[in-house]
Amino acid sequence: MIGRIGLCRVISRNLSSTESGIAQKLTIQPAIERSPTELLNALSETVGPDTTAPHFAYIDDPITIPSTQTAKKTYFMAKEFGKRAARELATEWPTLFAFDRDQPRLPAFRPQHLADPLQVDPTEKSLLSIMESREVQDTCILYERMRSENVDVSEEVQLELFRLVAYYNSSNVPFAEWDSWAGMRNFGENDHSVWNSGGVPDLLFETLPKTDETVSIMISGLCKFSGHSSMERARELYKEHRAAKGKIHREAFNGLIGSSSFSVAKKLIQEMAAQKISPDVFTFNSLLTAATKAPKFEDRMKAYTEVIGEMKAIGVEPALSSYYIIIKNLVDSKILENEKRDNEEQNAAFKRQLTVAVSWLDEILNRISTSNLTPVTSSCNLFFAEAMCVLYRASNEKLAAKLLSIYESKSNEVKMPSFTIESIFYNRYLQLVIEQTTSLNKIYDLYTSMVPRLVGVNNSLSSLIYRKLSVSSDSHWPLLRRVIIDGITAGQIINGVLGEEMRKKLSDVQLHTLGTSEREQYTSLVQKLVAVWIEFSQFTEEKMRRLQRKLSPSQISECALLLTRIGEQQKAYELLELLLDENACSGEEATVHPKGHARPWAMAELFEDALRQKDTFGAATCLQIMSLTANRTKLEPLANRIFEKCNVNPEQRRIIEGFVRLRPQ
């Protein structure tokens, strides 16, 4: 009854509010004009990045979330090649998809075969169509076919073709300029070839009239694919055209300047000024490139200062690529290549040049921190990676943090490719912070926020964290566990040095300091590690032998110790018995290395554990293994301890005494 009364009150209240609302006039507000990505930007600013999640490119399947840079490349390229294969199938057999009713109809799902230059009609329309698709080699084939069939090509079309083939040197578009396939754009290897003499560009250049534009195009192409002969030809063309009272364009000047010495480049700049051609950022970048060829550090510094001063004087804002050229060449490459730097003179030169580089970087960062950064050239993003490398060498954490904040700020639109240059940038920053700090909590927070989302698991990073854990007076189980788990997924478990570090760090863990859940994690981790090592040692079949990693005596002793720590003594002694089994280290079915010895400290702890358990068999097994490296003098006290601590019957005592007596002095 009470429920019914309450329901009636709610209904009557809603009806009264509805009736009063009918009398009011409903006003629809005008729609707010928004950009296509405004909603996505608002969501991104509200939610923010999830530092615990993998990169968005790998969220499709948790099984294939990679940990290393190599795995990231493999998985990303596998996805991309899968898409390319699907498009190839749709191109080859379009009738299989004829009844699809997708709306809107997307051209990406209806790919078409590219025009065959040997099959299409030899007309200007066909030539322009292939030129528009930027299939440079097909364009050259069709043009040569048209010439052989005496098909006339207008001068305008020939000029457009000349621009295309001269820019790409009659080769197809390099991977770096692929728009549709990010994987090939970032991971593809570009062939920096020299000028292809006698090709279609040379033929067109001889056919077309020698105007300012055609000569400039030819000089630009020769300088882009520079070699000794091509640069000589470019300079000759410039001299000939200048003698004929011609004027080349700015792009040609840029190519000549970047391929010349700094003294010659300054003369070319003066000639540009005489012809009233205003330089741009690309011109000054070419001038900076010429300045890097100065052999002496002082000459390079003077040249850089002159160029930057000239840019400020005429109001040209340096691009990040301009700063990249400077920072990359402040320290002599020969000094960087010689990492040891044995003599004091090289060390002093390196420190001086590095100090100057940091000073330049400090000034550059102060300048760009208040600016909106936009990409001007294709190499602008390289500035951040090169700057971080310099600060890493200088161990300057403060400037590195400032550089990171500039890169991640909303005012910066210059971004590095995620799986190539950007990972180097973040890896350098992470290692720098780890080296400079003593706080394990700070290392843990930074490591978990970057690995493996931004930084792939790598040997140098893991080794650095193990060293930090070794020298620290505090323990940090979450950090150690995370690094070992990442090492397992990255395949570091079969690395001899890092595998040993894992076992050593787990052996150093004080179990009484761990909570209940942490002890369970410790037990699970030890079981997993030992199982993996044993499994790799048992790949004795011929087809699997290349993957086999035999157990070393030191590895067996350390694994046995870890098993006793988690209460699995029986498995520990079964593992130790492999050291006493001759068949385990000989023949094609061998799973143990014949060379090496068990760790003395590990065997000592195993021996003490057996005595505490009053395990005569375990103590005797440890004694027999230790006898492989110890003499009778060292074994006799150990045998006496077995007699004192364990329940040894007369026959067992006689056997142990006889065994020790037969050992050498």
Side-chain angles (χ1 to χ4, degrees):
M1 189 67 181
I2 296 175
R4 290 181 180 179
I5 293 174
L7 182 60
C8 291
R9 288 177 179 175
V10 171
I11 292 174
S12 61
R13 189 182 303 118
N14 289 338
L15 287 173
S16 61
S17 62
T18 304
E19 292 172 356
S20 61
I22 294 174
Q24 298 177 358
K25 184 178 179 180
L26 183 62
T27 304
I28 300 176
Q29 298 295 328
I32 301 174
E33 293 186 4
R34 302 186 188 278
S35 65
T37 59
E38 196 165 346
L39 178 60
L40 294 176
N41 289 331
L43 288 172
S44 176
E45 293 175 358
T46 303
V47 177
D50 183 2
T51 58
T52 63
H55 192 275
F56 70 90
Y58 305 110
I59 61 176
D60 295 338
D61 189 349
I63 296 177
T64 58
I65 294 175
S67 296
T68 64
Q69 290 303 118
T70 304
K72 288 180 180 181
K73 175 182 176 181
T74 302
Y75 291 177
F76 190 83
M77 293 302 293
K79 290 176 63 177
E80 185 165 295
F81 284 145
K83 292 179 182 178
R84 294 181 66 185
R87 292 193 183 182
E88 188 65 28
L89 291 173
T91 305
E92 196 68 30
W93 293 283
T95 55
L96 298 177
F97 308 92
F99 297 101
D100 287 355
R101 297 290 185 269
D102 51 331
Q103 291 295 334
R105 193 173 180 83
L106 301 176
F109 297 110
R110 300 294 182 276
Q112 302 293 324
H113 273 298
L114 295 173
D116 188 347
L118 299 177
Q119 300 295 329
V120 298
D121 295 333
T123 61
E124 282 192 0
K125 183 178 179 181
S126 300
L127 184 62
L128 289 170
S129 176
I130 298 180
M131 287 169 56
E132 188 178 354
S133 63
R134 294 203 305 170
E135 295 294 329
V136 184
Q137 291 183 347
D138 288 351
T139 306
C140 294
I141 293 172
L142 180 56
Y143 176 70
E144 291 177 342
R145 178 187 166 202
M146 293 172 69
R147 281 179 55 85
S148 65
E149 297 181 10
N150 296 322
V151 178
D152 292 333
V153 181
S154 64
E155 187 175 311
E156 293 78 10
V157 175
Q158 286 186 355
L159 182 59
E160 289 298 323
L161 177 60
F162 182 50
R163 288 195 186 98
L164 179 69
V165 295
Y167 186 80
Y168 291 112
N169 193 21
S170 300
S171 301
N172 282 333
V173 176
F175 294 131
E177 296 185 29
W178 282 27
D179 297 330
S180 304
W181 306 104
M184 292 302 298
R185 184 171 64 248
N186 293 327
F187 294 114
E189 296 181 0
N190 297 301
D191 183 20
H192 300 283
S193 59
V194 295
W195 182 256
N196 183 19
S197 299
V200 175
D202 290 326
L203 179 62
L204 287 167
F205 183 65
E206 296 299 328
T207 304
L208 292 167
K210 303 300 184 290
T211 62
D212 293 347
E213 184 175 10
T214 55
V215 174
S216 298
I217 292 172
M218 192 63 181
I219 292 176
S220 299
L222 291 169
C223 294
K224 181 180 180 183
F225 302 95
S226 60
H228 180 70
S229 58
S230 63
M231 286 309 305
E232 283 187 355
R233 186 182 175 191
R235 295 187 182 102
E236 288 176 2
L237 286 176
Y238 171 65
K239 291 178 182 178
E240 292 173 1
H241 196 66
R242 184 185 175 190
K245 305 300 182 182
K247 296 181 180 180
I248 64 172
H249 294 177
R250 182 169 53 199
E251 290 74 17
F253 270 115
N254 293 347
L256 289 170
I257 291 170
S259 303
S260 305
S261 63
F262 187 63
S263 58
V264 175
K266 288 195 294 184
K267 294 179 181 179
L268 291 170
I269 288 287
Q270 293 172 0
E271 292 177 10
M272 286 181 65
Q275 297 180 19
K276 297 182 179 180
I277 300 175
S278 58
D280 58 2
V281 172
F282 297 93
T283 307
F284 285 108
N285 282 358
S286 300
L287 191 58
L288 288 170
T289 302
T292 61
K293 299 174 185 177
K296 294 183 179 180
F297 172 74
E298 292 76 11
D299 294 339
R300 292 199 303 273
M301 287 295 303
K302 183 180 178 181
Y304 295 153
T305 306
E306 288 180 10
V307 175
I308 295 297
E310 185 67 21
M311 294 179 76
K312 292 180 179 179
I314 65 174
V316 177
E317 185 67 24
L320 288 179
S321 55
S322 308
Y323 296 134
Y324 163 70
I325 296 171
I326 295 173
I327 295 301
K328 181 176 175 60
N329 296 280
L330 278 176
V331 182
D332 288 335
S333 58
K334 292 183 179 180
I335 297 179
L336 288 178
E337 291 172 1
N338 186 12
E339 295 182 359
K340 294 182 179 179
R341 289 184 283 275
D342 299 326
N343 56 52
E344 295 181 1
E345 184 179 352
Q346 282 189 344
N347 274 323
F350 174 73
K351 291 179 180 178
R352 179 168 57 90
Q353 294 178 13
L354 193 61
T355 303
V356 173
V358 172
S359 177
W360 271 77
L361 261 179
D362 188 17
E363 188 172 342
I364 291 171
L365 294 182
N366 289 333
R367 183 180 181 86
I368 67 176
S369 60
T370 56
S371 305
N372 292 324
L373 304 178
T374 56
V376 178
T377 70
S378 59
S379 58
C380 282
N381 63 84
L382 298 177
F383 164 76
F384 292 101
E386 190 64 34
M388 187 60 75
C389 287
V390 171
L391 296 175
Y392 174 77
R393 294 190 187 102
S395 301
N396 195 318
E397 184 183 354
K398 182 179 179 181
L399 280 184
K402 185 175 182 179
L403 178 66
L404 180 66
S405 65
I406 293 173
Y407 178 72
E408 294 181 342
S409 67
K410 296 179 181 179
S411 60
N412 175 38
E413 298 178 6
V414 181
K415 299 299 180 182
M416 295 174 278
S418 294
F419 309 128
T420 52
I421 304 172
E422 190 178 58
S423 63
I424 298 174
F425 173 80
Y426 280 107
N427 183 46
R428 288 296 189 189
Y429 176 75
L430 178 59
Q431 292 198 31
L432 173 59
V433 175
I434 292 174
E435 289 176 355
Q436 297 299 313
T437 187
T438 58
S439 172
L440 296 181
N441 288 327
K442 181 179 179 180
I443 295 175
Y444 176 73
D445 293 338
L446 195 60
Y447 181 89
T448 53
S449 66
M450 289 189 176
V451 180
R453 183 176 63 95
L454 299 172
V455 179
V457 181
N458 56 83
N459 294 352
S460 60
L461 178 61
S462 300
S463 299
L464 177 60
I465 295 179
Y466 288 138
R467 288 198 300 271
K468 279 292 180 178
L469 288 168
S470 299
V471 299
S472 177
S473 57
D474 301 327
S475 60
H476 202 291
W477 167 248
L479 176 60
L480 175 60
R481 178 174 177 267
R482 175 62 184 270
V483 175
I484 292 178
I485 290 176
D486 286 344
I488 295 173
T489 58
Q492 294 176 351
I493 190 171
I494 60 175
N495 182 298
V497 176
L498 293 176
E500 182 180 343
E501 284 290 343
M502 293 179 188
R503 296 189 296 272
K504 189 173 185 305
K505 293 298 175 292
L506 287 173
S507 300
D508 293 339
V509 173
Q510 303 295 325
L511 292 179
H512 65 274
T513 62
L514 302 181
T516 304
S517 61
E518 291 176 337
R519 289 188 182 184
E520 293 176 355
Q521 293 172 353
Y522 182 90
T523 300
S524 175
L525 189 57
V526 169
Q527 290 173 340
K528 181 184 293 185
L529 286 170
V530 175
V532 171
W533 280 317
I534 293 176
E535 184 177 359
F536 268 98
S537 70
Q538 294 174 347
F539 289 155
T540 56
E541 297 180 7
E542 186 175 356
K543 61 181 180 181
M544 300 292 291
R545 199 167 293 161
R546 63 184 180 85
L547 300 175
Q548 186 187 24
R549 296 295 185 273
K550 293 182 180 180
L551 296 171
S552 65
S554 60
Q555 185 178 0
I556 290 175
S557 60
E558 291 169 349
C559 289
L561 176 60
L562 292 174
L563 289 172
T564 58
R565 292 278 185 88
I566 62 174
E568 297 187 1
Q569 279 80 5
Q570 183 177 354
K571 289 184 179 180
Y573 290 117
E574 289 176 359
L575 198 58
L576 287 173
E577 287 178 0
L578 293 175
L579 296 175
L580 305 175
D581 185 1
E582 295 182 357
N583 296 326
C585 58
S586 61
E588 295 184 354
E589 302 294 324
T591 59
V592 180
H593 272 296
K595 297 181 180 180
H597 303 284
R599 300 286 185 194
W601 57 269
M603 294 309 305
E605 187 169 338
L606 286 167
F607 182 73
E608 293 296 331
D609 181 75
L611 294 181
R612 284 194 298 271
Q613 301 289 334
K614 298 185 182 298
D615 183 0
T616 306
F617 173 78
T621 301
C622 294
L623 182 68
Q624 187 176 359
I625 294 173
M626 287 188 286
S627 69
L628 299 175
T629 56
N631 54 26
R632 187 194 309 172
T633 306
K634 294 182 179 179
L635 294 177
E636 286 177 348
L638 300 178
N640 293 331
R641 294 197 62 197
I642 295 176
F643 302 150
E644 295 174 3
K645 300 291 184 179
C646 301
N647 298 322
V648 181
N649 59 43
E651 184 176 357
Q652 292 173 334
R653 185 184 183 95
R654 187 174 64 255
I655 293 173
I656 294 174
E657 288 177 346
F659 175 80
V660 173
R661 194 181 307 114
L662 293 174
R663 298 301 97 191
Q665 287 285 358

